[in-house]
Amino acid sequence: MTTEVKKYKKKLLGSGTLLLKMFIWEMVILTAILATMVIATPVGANDPPAKVPRVEVLPNEGPIGTTIYVRIWDYLPNKQVIVIFGTGTTITPGTAIVAKEITDAFGYAIVSFSIDSFAGGRYVVLVDDGTNKAIASFKITPKITLSDSGGFVGDTVIVSGNGFSANRPISVFFEDTKVASGETNDKGRFADVQFTLPAASRGDRKIKVQDTDANSITTVYNVRQKITVKPTSATVGAEVTISGGFQPKDITIYFNDKDITLVRADSTGSFTATIKVPPCADGIHKIKVDDGSNRSYCDLSVVSSILISPNTGHIGMSIGIQGAGFRPGFPITITYANTKMEAPPVTPQGTFTHNFKIPKSRSGPHTITVTDGINTQKTTFTVEATAPLAPELSVPSDSARIEKGVSFEWSAVNDPSGVTYVLEVAEDAKFSKILLSTSNLAQCNFDLPDDKKLLPSQKAPYFWRVKAIDGASNEGPWSSVGSFYKGYSLDSIATNMPDWTKYTLMGLGAALVAFVFFWLGRILRRAGHVDEPEFESEPGVNTETAWGYNPDSNEWDQK
């Protein structure tokens, strides 16, 4: 049940509260009296007449959209009732059920509904609780709406309506003169029937719409002197068109009481002029038109605007931004990609100018937001999306052997947004097993310390490559793949040995050879001078020497 229904029900029941209490006391007393009676009254002899369900519709007529209240009496208590609206008096498939409600303990209820899909005419309101039915009626009356409540001669007036007979011609009259015609649809509606307001004196004039079944409605249209501005909202520097009607004479147009231009009205007093919105703050500004005898005003809403130049470029580019229609004296905050910058305060004319460099950000469009705390405007700057070229590898040369710390070098890549480099080292040429990856390298070289854990010596080669990434995060292609070996070899030792080391080793080698020959010579000479008889023993002489351990001296002695 809606709030309106509850209020209405409370209003209806409020006045009956006292009567209800009195009724309850009477019933109590009557029950007590009947209980003391000895003689039984025959059933049905004095029964009160059966209650007849009743329905009341308030109001009983009105246009589409009217809220209809249905007041229900003497239905079954605590029973759900349904309300239908239409032309029939029975519930059939397709019947429009417009409301449902539960009656109170006295079979009383109030429901409400509104209708919006019927043609004009009288309709049945049927209330049914499954046992009891009662009907009332409601008449849908015509209603029209106008595009404006008043205007100047020559304006276009648009009329729409509903609540007329279905599929009937309609006529539009201005002060009893037919000015337009149309036709309703199967719901008794018509829309956007236009006519030009004919010549008429200033004041309220009647507009009437009538169908062929004599359903009609009249409303008031105020013909007045006025000017219009289109559009009604504009930015500084934009063109707006002012039109209206005065006397056929020179007309002066003012913007905030400042003379802007002079135009001449035609023989009917009509004029049209185009002006550019001068520099001003945001908000509502007055446009005045004066012909010397009559003057009229209209409002123009000036909104803030910004302009950047250029609107596309690279990281680090300097761009200019200017605004108009902002709040004079207020500080300006500019935000680009979450970077806030302060700008000079707004001038008394509502303008500002500022230059700034595009900070590091990804390629593509980025929103620039400008605000003075009251007005906020946004525009877009697009960062270039051209990827940098691939670097060329230089050090180490392809298939080079490196014994100690590895140094990588490559060619520089130029890009307006600036670049950094990514270096990768892997065990295979397809880089499926990456051993080292480092990024954000600002220089074209990288020194790897002599750490055997990073790149241990091995017979198989290592592979490396480099790519450039610009300040807008545009990634260039990888360079060609280079290879190198890590560890020592005899050839590399000899090749990389200093001269003094080579000469020293050569001297040591010559000395070693000389010593070997000297030692062999002595052995050979000694072998040539020894005779066998010298080794023969003389008779009776023991040539063998015996050794024994002397425990007293703890030494070995000859015997």
Side-chain angles (χ1 to χ4, degrees), residues 170-372:
I170 58 99
S171 298
V172 181
F173 298 88
F174 180 83
E175 291 288 294
D176 297 327
T177 300
K178 185 176 179 178
V179 292
S181 60
E183 187 173 347
T184 62
N185 61 13
D186 60 349
K187 302 298 182 182
R189 296 174 179 267
F190 70 91
D192 299 336
V193 174
Q194 302 181 9
F195 70 93
T196 300
L197 195 65
S201 60
R202 182 175 177 175
D204 290 338
R205 297 291 178 263
K206 293 185 293 183
I207 293 178
K208 182 177 72 171
V209 178
Q210 180 175 316
D211 64 18
T212 55
D213 287 343
N215 297 303
S216 67
I217 185 171
T218 301
T219 189
V220 173
Y221 189 87
N222 181 255
V223 179
R224 60 183 183 271
Q225 173 184 296
K226 73 167 187 176
I227 61 172
T228 58
V229 58
K230 295 181 179 181
T232 58
S233 179
T235 59
V236 172
E239 290 188 343
V240 296
T241 299
I242 303 169
S243 60
F246 286 80
Q247 297 179 10
K249 58 192 300 187
D250 290 337
I251 295 174
T252 304
I253 299 176
Y254 298 83
F255 184 90
N256 287 342
D257 292 327
K258 183 179 180 180
D259 184 347
I260 296 296
T261 188
L262 183 70
V263 296
R264 179 76 180 180
D266 62 18
S267 58
T268 64
S270 299
F271 75 92
T272 299
T274 299
I275 66 170
K276 287 187 176 181
V277 180
C280 60
D282 65 301
I284 303 299
H285 296 265
K286 289 290 184 182
I287 293 179
K288 180 176 72 172
V289 177
D290 193 338
D291 65 3
S293 301
N294 304 285
R295 65 175 56 91
S296 186
Y297 299 85
C298 66
D299 292 336
L300 175 66
S301 176
V302 176
V303 296
S304 58
S305 62
I306 57 173
L307 177 67
I308 61 171
S309 181
N311 58 11
T312 183
H314 56 80
I315 303 302
M317 172 181 281
S318 179
I319 70 168
I321 183 169
Q322 57 184 349
F326 285 84
R327 198 60 58 92
F330 279 44
I332 291 293
T333 300
I334 302 173
T335 304
Y336 172 92
N338 297 324
T339 300
K340 288 187 176 181
M341 298 162 281
E342 298 296 330
V346 181
T347 67
Q349 292 75 35
T351 63
F352 76 90
T353 58
H354 185 63
N355 295 322
F356 69 95
K357 291 185 177 181
I358 298 299
K360 186 175 181 180
S361 51
R362 298 188 66 86
S363 60
H366 293 271
T367 299
I368 297 177
T369 304
V370 178
T371 182
D372 61 6

Side-chain angles (χ1 to χ4, degrees), residues 2-65:
T2 63
T3 303
E4 292 184 357
V5 174
K6 291 180 178 178
K7 290 182 179 179
Y8 189 75
K9 183 175 180 180
K10 181 177 181 181
K11 183 177 179 181
L12 294 175
L13 293 178
S15 59
T17 302
L18 181 59
L19 295 175
L20 179 62
K21 291 180 178 179
M22 294 175 63
F23 174 76
I24 293 173
W25 278 108
E26 290 176 357
M27 292 299 295
V28 171
I29 295 172
L30 180 61
T31 301
I33 294 173
L34 292 175
T36 60
M37 295 179 63
V38 178
I39 301 174
T41 303
V43 176
N46 296 310
D47 286 348
K51 294 182 179 180
V52 178
R54 293 177 293 161
V55 173
E56 181 183 14
V57 173
L58 297 173
N60 60 7
E61 69 175 34
I64 293 294

